[in-house]
């Protein structure tokens, strides 16, 4: 078994188009827990009661499409598909994120000594595995 190479990570928007040059992508589920006591047990017990989903991605800028889409309709929700498809691994991992809502968008920024890139943060309402890599 070998580690999966992030070079083969891709992000696709609601139209199936690859999102610019995505250089980083990450999503997380955060669980909200409630504490409760059990008679005779010294340690506090915990129960997951709900959760929140968020993520971020970084792109190397090639055009203004994404920033324009987010900035002109901040209330919109989208579906995105992220996948890892390393050709040296048996299979690919893909997750469909639904109800993606962006937290904001950087309008313009640059550094004379670097390629232009920017990051966007988002939340999502649901997710499901489309495919998984099984060992």
């Amino acid at each position: 078994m070998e580690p999966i190479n992030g070079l083969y990570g891709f992000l696709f928007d609601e139209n199936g188009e690859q999102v610019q040059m995505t250089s980083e992508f990450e999503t997380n589920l955060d669980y909200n827990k409630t504490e409760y006591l059990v008679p005779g047990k010294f340690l506090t017990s915990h129960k997951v009661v709900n959760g929140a989903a968020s993520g971020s991605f970084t792109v190397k800028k090639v055009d203004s499409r994404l920033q324009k889409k987010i900035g002109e309709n901040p209330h919109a929700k989208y579906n995105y598909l992220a996948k890892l498809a390393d050709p040296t691994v048996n299979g690919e991992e893909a997750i469909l994120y639904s109800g993606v809502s962006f937290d904001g968008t950087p309008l313009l920024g640059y550094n004379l000594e670097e390629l232009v890139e920017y990051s966007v943060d988002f939340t999502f309402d649901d997710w499901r595995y489309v495919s998984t890599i099984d060992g």
Side-chain angles (χ1 to χ4, degrees):
M1 300 190 87
E2 293 184 18
I4 297 169
N5 188 344
L7 178 64
Y8 300 99
F10 303 94
L11 181 61
F12 300 92
D13 68 13
E14 69 281 0
N15 298 315
E17 294 182 26
Q18 189 173 336
V19 178
Q20 300 196 18
M21 298 181 77
T22 308
S23 58
E24 291 183 41
F25 180 83
E26 180 179 15
T27 54
N28 297 292
L29 296 176
D30 294 315
Y31 303 116
N32 295 317
K33 298 178 181 180
T34 188
E35 295 181 348
Y36 63 97
L37 297 175
V38 176
K41 183 178 175 190
F42 178 74
L43 295 177
T44 302
S45 293
H46 300 86
K47 180 175 179 84
V48 173
V49 292
N50 59 31
S54 62
S56 66
F57 60 88
T58 302
V59 298
K60 298 212 181 320
K61 184 172 179 153
V62 296
D63 59 37
S64 303
R65 285 183 306 134
L66 180 61
Q67 292 163 296
K68 187 175 183 215
K69 174 174 81 172
I70 297 169
E72 289 181 348
N73 193 357
H75 302 288
K77 291 191 174 189
Y78 305 97
N79 295 331
Y80 277 76
L81 178 76
K83 77 175 172 179
L84 278 169
D86 184 338
T88 66
V89 176
N90 187 20
E92 70 178 26
E93 182 173 78
I95 298 178
L96 177 64
Y97 300 93
S98 57
V100 172
S101 175
F102 294 99
D103 297 350
T105 185
L107 293 177
L108 182 63
Y110 61 88
N111 179 324
L112 293 178
E113 297 177 356
E114 298 175 3
L115 298 175
V116 176
E117 67 178 21
Y118 62 93
S119 297
V120 290
D121 296 324
F122 62 93
T123 56
F124 55 98
D125 296 335
D126 207 355
W127 61 277
R128 72 174 171 84
Y129 278 103
V130 175
S131 59
T132 58
I133 298 170
D134 299 317

